[in-house]
Amino acid sequence: MVPGNNTQISEFVLLGFSKEPEFQLLIFGLFLSMYLITVFGNLLIILAIISDSHLHTPMYFFLSNLSFVDICFTSTTIPKMLLNIITQTKVITYEDCLTQMYFFLLFVQLDNFLLTVMSYDRFIAICHPLHYTVIMNPVLCGLLVLISWLIGALNSLLQSLLALRLSFCTILEIPHFFCEFKDVIQLACSNTFLNNVMMYFAIGLFGGGPFTGICYSYSKIVFSICGISSARGKYKAFSTCASHLSVVSLFYCTGLGVYLSSAVTHGSHSSATASVMYTVVTPMLNPFIYSLRNKDIKRFLRRFFGIETNKELIVLGLKNCH
């Protein structure tokens, strides 16, 4: 197939992970399972926070927003991939591809910003506990989330509009399971200098900036925790920080690694595999890491599934027997 200018392209081909038919059922089952766990787990977290008045705090407000964004994040890519496997086609239309790129960029930035906001919330709670309720008031919390949405939406719109000006070649195969932004840009026949400049500028500003803020916040948290005399208090605080930082590290290392590797390798299936970590695995693990270890969330889940009620009935029955 010889490359050539084609500004009126109608579709792209998503190569996915494997061309072997025998692996398609395995891939379908694996991703469907992870998607359902992600959606169900994050919905439970949102339901718990809305239902329990004890969870109406800034930390859980941000967590509910993170859970909502994670559902949207995975729903941007996984359902289309599952549909393609069912229909045995790898095609995505030009319009759907641009739409997918926009929402993917939006939600990955929101994930990024919310992780940063949550680290700031923990910084205030641990380092300035007496001023926590004054600083983290409902107005500030709402503004932080609103600003995150505005910045994410505007940058995603800018990147998508810049992609619209590109003309594409006749080779329109994307070595990914979704319309990954950098892979689509690499397929263009026209000059992509401006697109690449804006892409890496956005990565540095909206990726490196928040990551620096997270590192600063947690460095202050660690310094503050070291001043705690209680060994149990130190362990509990460090455990919470380690859980958050493990997800942050997973998200940033895989996400930024995919984009930065594009300067060295092009069209590699290794980037698709790495993308699974921050597009599927991280959103799936967030409910477990952030919430299921929390006693308030556990209490709600026991009530939701009727476990606590059954225990109370058993205890009541034993008392009646006596």
Side-chain angles (χ1 to χ4, degrees):
M1 192 177 291
V2 182
N5 289 334
N6 183 9
T7 57
Q8 301 297 322
I9 58 133
S10 60
E11 59 189 28
F12 292 94
V13 177
L14 300 173
L15 297 181
F17 296 100
S18 174
K19 295 181 180 180
E20 302 298 329
E22 57 268 21
F23 291 114
Q24 296 304 306
L25 185 59
L26 176 62
I27 294 173
F28 179 85
L30 178 63
F31 276 84
L32 178 61
S33 300
M34 290 192 293
Y35 179 67
L36 292 177
I37 292 172
T38 301
V39 173
F40 184 68
N42 283 288
L43 280 177
L44 275 180
I45 299 306
I46 295 172
L47 181 61
I49 294 171
I50 293 174
S51 304
D52 195 338
S53 59
H54 294 94
L55 302 180
H56 293 173
T57 63
M59 180 183 71
Y60 290 109
F61 171 70
F62 296 132
L63 181 58
S64 64
N65 278 272
L66 181 67
S67 295
F68 173 74
V69 169
D70 281 341
I71 292 173
C72 297
F73 188 25
T74 53
S75 297
T76 303
T77 57
I78 303 304
K80 175 59 178 175
M81 186 195 74
L82 297 176
L83 179 63
N84 283 357
I85 294 176
I86 292 174
T87 58
Q88 296 184 349
T89 178
K90 296 179 179 291
V91 171
I92 183 170
T93 64
Y94 176 73
E95 293 79 9
D96 287 347
C97 188
L98 287 178
T99 302
Q100 191 180 68
M101 281 197 305
Y102 172 82
F103 284 106
F104 177 82
L105 290 173
L106 170 62
F107 292 124
V108 76
Q109 288 173 101
L110 284 171
D111 245 346
N112 185 17
F113 295 147
L114 287 172
L115 287 173
T116 307
V117 169
M118 290 175 73
S119 69
Y120 175 71
D121 174 76
R122 293 298 85 202
F123 162 70
I124 298 297
I126 295 175
C127 298
H128 304 283
L130 298 179
H131 303 285
Y132 178 76
T133 55
V134 176
I135 297 174
M136 300 305 296
N137 58 76
V139 175
L140 178 62
C141 294
L143 280 175
L144 289 172
V145 173
L146 178 61
I147 291 171
S148 298
W149 275 92
L150 287 175
I151 295 175
L154 290 174
N155 181 58
S156 300
L157 181 61
L158 174 62
Q159 301 292 342
S160 300
L161 290 175
L162 288 174
L164 278 173
R165 55 181 281 275
L166 299 175
S167 59
F168 291 88
C169 305
T170 54
I171 299 178
L172 301 175
E173 295 181 342
I174 301 174
H176 229 295
F177 63 95
F178 66 96
C179 286
E180 214 280 339
F181 186 74
K182 72 175 183 63
D183 288 328
V184 174
I185 298 301
Q186 289 172 4
L187 293 176
C189 292
S190 54
N191 193 324
T192 60
F193 176 76
L194 180 60
N195 298 80
N196 287 321
V197 168
M198 293 304 298
M199 178 179 70
Y200 287 111
F201 175 77
I203 291 172
L205 182 62
F206 302 127
F211 181 71
T212 302
I214 289 174
C215 292
Y216 175 79
S217 295
Y218 273 96
S219 65
K220 290 293 185 179
I221 288 173
V222 171
F223 182 78
S224 179
I225 290 174
C226 289
I228 299 175
S229 57
S230 170
R232 184 177 180 180
K234 285 183 179 181
Y235 174 79
K236 185 177 180 180
F238 273 118
S239 176
T240 303
C241 294
S243 299
H244 188 196
L245 286 175
S246 64
V247 174
V248 169
S249 301
L250 182 66
F251 180 84
Y252 276 98
C253 290
T254 55
L256 293 178
V258 168
Y259 280 91
L260 295 177
S261 65
S262 64
V264 181
T265 60
H266 301 278
S268 175
H269 283 276
S270 60
S271 64
T273 305
S275 294
V276 173
M277 298 301 294
Y278 76 95
T279 58
V280 184
V281 176
T282 301
M284 181 182 66
L285 293 179
N286 283 346
F288 298 96
I289 296 175
Y290 287 118
S291 304
L292 295 185
R293 295 179 60 189
N294 184 286
K295 61 180 182 180
D296 296 321
I297 299 292
K298 283 183 177 180
R299 184 176 63 250
F300 170 82
L301 292 176
R302 284 196 296 266
R303 290 176 180 174
F304 182 81
F305 290 108
I307 297 174
E308 194 167 279
T309 303
N310 291 335
K311 286 183 178 179
E312 291 174 354
L313 290 173
I314 292 172
V315 172
L316 184 61
L318 290 174
K319 287 182 178 179
N320 291 333
C321 289
H322 291 292

